[in-house]
């Protein structure tokens, strides 16, 4: 039950990131809700389609949709006064949601097939897919394709998760190890502005 609430929390945080981008692009309320929804559940939806996991999780549990709707409406009211919120709040909350999403993606993938490699990919997809869709709809280069350490943290978390399972640790320990590693790497990247080298051709 605790994990379920953290999952809903992550859904809300991802929706907020969609609302913020929509506000920068001056979208109408419908566009705000669409971008917030895509950001919040896009990755999990792609994962479920690839795994042929039916029904898709937010169809099976409409609580996710209500959380997104309420979050978008509330965020539209608060985003008019962004200076009231410390700059680090959203990135840290996003990191928490990301770490849980990756773990859930790995677990669900392993429930439908037995490849650790595919499970890691589905973990990354769950964590990053919504953000990629958000940026594509906004006609921006997706965050995970730029130099910021984001997808890398997801990959490491997925590796820790699947490795712990292969070593015989129980599901809870494996989930915590994967989520914790994703969270720590992401928080370090936020705190010290860590990034990967940029690939560019010499002029």
């Amino acid at each position: 039950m605790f994990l379920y609430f953290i999952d809903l929390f992550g859904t809300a945080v991802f929706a907020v990131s969609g609302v913020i981008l929509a506000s920068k692009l001056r979208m109408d309320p419908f566009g705000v809700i669409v971008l917030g929804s895509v950001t919040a559940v896009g990755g999990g939806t792609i994962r479920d389609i690839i795994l042929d996991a039916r029904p898709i999780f937010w169809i099976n549990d409409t609580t996710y949709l209500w959380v997104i709707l309420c979050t978008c409406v509330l965020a539209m009211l608060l985003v008019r006064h962004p200076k009231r919120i410390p700059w680090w709040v959203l990135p840290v909350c996003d990191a928490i949601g990301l770490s849980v999403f990756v773990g859930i993606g790995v677990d669900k993938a392993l429930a439908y097939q037995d490849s650790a490699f595919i499970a890691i990919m589905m973990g990354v997809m769950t964590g990053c897919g919504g953000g990629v869709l958000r940026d594509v709809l906004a006609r921006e280069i997706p965050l995970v394709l730029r130099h910021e350490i984001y997808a890398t943290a997801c990959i490491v978390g997925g590796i820790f998760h699947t490795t712990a399972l292969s070593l015989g640790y129980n599901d809870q320990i494996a989930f915590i190890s994967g989520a914790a590693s994703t969270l720590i790497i992401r928080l370090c990247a936020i705190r010290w502005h860590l990034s990967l080298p940029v690939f560019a051709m010499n002029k």
Side-chain angles (χ1 to χ4, degrees), residues 69-123:
L69 179 60
C70 293
T71 299
C72 288
V73 172
L74 183 61
M76 278 189 281
L77 298 175
L78 296 178
V79 78
R80 297 176 183 273
H81 307 285
K83 292 183 179 179
R84 295 180 181 178
I85 305 174
W87 71 269
W88 53 267
V89 171
L90 184 60
V92 169
C93 290
D94 179 90
I96 296 172
L98 179 69
S99 63
V100 174
F101 276 19
V102 173
I104 291 173
V106 171
D107 270 347
K108 191 157 191 177
L110 290 175
Y112 283 84
Q113 52 82 56
D114 57 2
S115 169
F117 181 68
I118 298 300
I120 294 170
M121 289 179 59
M122 291 300 100

Side-chain angles (χ1 to χ4, degrees), residues 3 18 29 32 44 46 62-63 68 85 96 103 105 123-124 136 145 157 165 178 187:
L3 182 60
V32 172
I46 296 173
T62 56
T63 303
I68 292 170
I85 305 174
I96 296 172
V124 175
V136 169
L145 301 182
L165 289 173
L187 291 179

Side-chain angles (χ1 to χ4, degrees), residues 41-52 56-58 122 125-126 128-130 132-133:
V41 297
T45 300
I46 296 173
R47 175 204 64 212
D48 284 0
I49 292 173
I50 293 175
L51 294 175
D52 197 24
I56 294 173
F57 73 100
W58 51 265
M122 291 300 100
M125 182 71 68
T126 305
C128 301
V132 171
L133 292 176

Side-chain angles (χ1 to χ4, degrees), residues 145-202:
L145 301 182
R146 287 177 275 174
H147 60 279
E148 186 170 342
I149 295 179
Y150 199 91
T152 307
C154 299
I155 294 171
V156 173
I159 292 173
F160 269 79
H161 191 149
T162 54
T163 300
L165 289 173
S166 68
L167 293 176
Y169 291 97
N170 62 42
D171 293 344
Q172 290 77 14
I173 297 297
F175 188 100
I176 292 172
S177 66
S181 58
T182 300
L183 180 60
I184 290 171
I185 293 173
R186 187 69 190 118
L187 291 179
C188 288
I190 294 170
R191 173 63 180 82
W192 289 290
H193 306 288
L194 304 178
S195 61
L196 297 175
V198 176
F199 174 76
M201 296 181 64
N202 295 324

Side-chain angles (χ1 to χ4, degrees), residues 15-69:
V16 170
S17 71
V19 172
I20 292 174
L21 181 56
S23 70
K24 294 178 180 178
L25 299 175
R26 304 180 66 84
M27 292 186 176
D28 61 23
F30 178 75
V32 172
I33 294 174
V34 168
L35 204 62
S37 300
V38 167
T39 308
V41 297
T45 300
I46 296 173
R47 175 204 64 212
D48 284 0
I49 292 173
I50 293 175
L51 294 175
D52 197 24
R54 305 299 172 90
I56 294 173
F57 73 100
W58 51 265
I59 295 178
N60 189 52
D61 184 359
T62 56
T63 303
Y64 288 94
L65 300 182
W66 285 108
V67 167
I68 292 170
L69 179 60

